[in-house]
Amino acid sequence: MSNTKKAISWFDQRLPVFSFLDKQMANKATPKNLNYFWSFGSLSGLALVLQILTGIFLTMHYKPDANLAFDSIQHIMRDVEWGWLIRNMHMVGASFFFIVVYAHMARGLYYGSYKSPREVLWWMGIIIFFLMMGTAFMGYVLPWGQMSFWGAMVITNLFSVIPIVGDELVVWLWGGFSVNDATLNRFFALHYLFPFIICAVVFMHLWALWTSKSNNPEGIDLKKKTDWIPFHPYYTVKDLVGVGFYAIPFAFMVFYAPEYLGHTDNYIPANPLSTPAHIVPEWYFLPFYAILRAIPDKLMGVIAMGSAIAILFVLPWLDSSKVRSAKYRPIYKQLYWVFIATVFVLGWVGSKPPEGMYVVIGRIATALYFGFFLVQPLVSKFEKPKPLPTSL
C-alpha cells in the first residue's frame, strides 16, 4: 500500500469521508437509462456554489447603506480588480440558477418524480425553490436602483393583506414606515444567510434521494441487477458534458450580454418621489406576478400567488395514478405540455402592463395553471395508461 493510500486509510478510520463518498457517490447504484434531463440536478448544485462564492466576494465591497449602496455597485464594476466579472457572474448566475431549477422541476413533473416513495424528496425541492425566490427577491433589492426600491415597496406591501397583523408586519419588515436604510440592511443580512439555509435543505434533499433512490425515464421500480450501473464514472462524465453545455451560454451572457435580462430603470438611483411607469420583477418571478395581477381582489390575488407554489406540495396526492412517466400516460402528457405553454404565457403577461387583453389572457392562463393540478384526480381515475416495461 502506498503512503498516500495509507494516509487516506488512516484519516478515513477516524472520519469516514472517503468511504462515504465512495459508497454514496462513486459506487452508488443508479438506473442505467438516465438521460441528460437528470443533469439539471447537478447543474443546480453547481449554480448554487457559484452564487455563494461570487456573493462572498461581492460582500467585501458592497455597502448596505441607502446612501452608498448604488455607488458601491458602481465601485465594484469600475474600480475593484475583476469586480465587473464577479458581479456579472453573480447577476447572470441568478438567472441561470432559476433556468436549471425550472428545467429540473419540469423533468420531475414529466417523469412523475413526485410520486411514492419520493414525496419528501419532492417537498425538499419545493422548499429549496421557495427559499431561492426569497433570496433572489432580497438580492434584487440590494443594488438600490429604481426597480429595486419600488419592487421592494410593492412586494412587501402584499403582507398588508394578512388580517389583523398585516400592517404591523409590513412596518416590521421595513424597519420603519417606508422602504428605507433599515429595510436594505435587513434584506442584505437575509440575502447572505439564505444560501446557507438552502445548502442545509439541499443536503436533506440529497439524503431523501439516497434513501428513495433516483427515478428513471420509464418510471418503473427496478429489480434486476442489470438495470443499475455505478454513478461514477458513467454519470460523472455525463454531468461534465452537461456542465460544458451550461458553460457556453453562461459565459456568453457574462461577457457579452450581462444586462440583457435586467431592467434599465435599475441603473437609476432609487428615488422615493419618482415611480417607474411599469414596475416589474425579475423574469423568473413573472408567471407568479401575472397570477397575482389576474385576481381583482388584493387578498385573493396574494392567496392565488402563494397557492401557485403551495399546490405543488399536494400534487403527489392529487395525481394518484400508479404510472409515473408521462411516456405511458397519453392524457397527462397532453395536459403537461399545455401546462408548460401556460407558464410561458403567464411569464409573457407578467411582463406587460395590467390592462386590456393582457388582463384577460392572464386570467385564462391562471385558470389553466390551477386547472392542470385540480383535474389530476379525474385524469388518474379515467386515464388508460400504456403497458409498462418490466425492466430497462
Side-chain angles (χ1 to χ4, degrees), residues 66 70 79 97 128-129 161-162 202 219 235 306 324 337 359 386:
F70 186 87
D79 303 325
F97 195 3
I128 292 169
F129 178 58
V161 303
I162 300 175
V202 166
Y235 288 114
R324 297 190 184 104
W337 289 115
V359 175
K386 298 177 182 178

Side-chain angles (χ1 to χ4, degrees), residues 11-12 15-22:
F11 185 87
D12 201 60
L15 184 63
V17 174
F18 298 103
S19 59
F20 174 81
L21 292 175
D22 182 66

Side-chain angles (χ1 to χ4, degrees), residues 149-332:
F149 178 88
W150 288 100
M153 182 73 74
V154 170
I155 299 301
T156 52
N157 256 308
L158 296 178
F159 289 93
S160 66
V161 303
I162 300 175
I164 303 175
V165 299
D167 291 334
E168 287 77 10
L169 181 59
V170 171
V171 172
W172 179 80
L173 286 171
W174 286 346
F177 296 100
S178 65
V179 175
N180 54 49
D181 185 67
T183 316
L184 180 62
N185 273 273
R186 292 175 183 211
F187 282 14
F188 172 71
L190 292 174
H191 181 70
Y192 192 88
L193 172 65
F194 269 38
F196 299 100
I197 298 177
I198 291 174
C199 285
V201 183
V202 166
F203 175 77
M204 296 175 67
H205 187 62
L206 292 174
W207 191 357
L209 176 63
W210 291 328
T211 302
S212 59
K213 300 189 184 316
S214 181
N215 189 24
N216 59 84
E218 304 301 318
I220 59 175
D221 294 322
L222 306 181
K223 299 177 181 179
K224 295 182 178 180
K225 290 185 177 180
T226 54
D227 289 336
W228 303 88
I229 56 175
F231 185 85
H232 178 77
Y234 299 100
Y235 288 114
T236 49
V237 172
K238 198 167 189 175
D239 284 348
L240 286 174
V241 174
V243 170
F245 279 100
Y246 173 88
I248 293 171
F250 178 78
F252 177 83
M253 293 292 293
V254 166
F255 290 105
Y256 295 103
E259 319 290 352
Y260 183 76
L261 297 173
H263 197 286
T264 54
D265 280 0
N266 223 30
Y267 298 96
I268 303 171
N271 183 359
L273 302 179
S274 177
T275 308
H278 182 207
I279 300 174
V280 292
E282 288 282 62
W283 69 266
Y284 33 79
F285 294 138
L286 290 176
F288 305 103
Y289 188 54
I291 292 173
L292 170 69
R293 300 189 316 186
I295 311 298
D297 182 74
K298 185 178 179 181
L299 174 59
M300 296 306 297
V302 172
I303 292 174
M305 183 177 67
S307 299
I309 301 173
I311 200 169
L312 293 168
F313 283 100
V314 297
L315 179 59
W317 291 272
L318 292 174
D319 181 7
S320 58
S321 174
K322 300 299 181 184
V323 178
R324 297 190 184 104
S325 178
K327 291 172 63 176
Y328 303 100
R329 302 183 60 191
I331 297 178
Y332 177 86

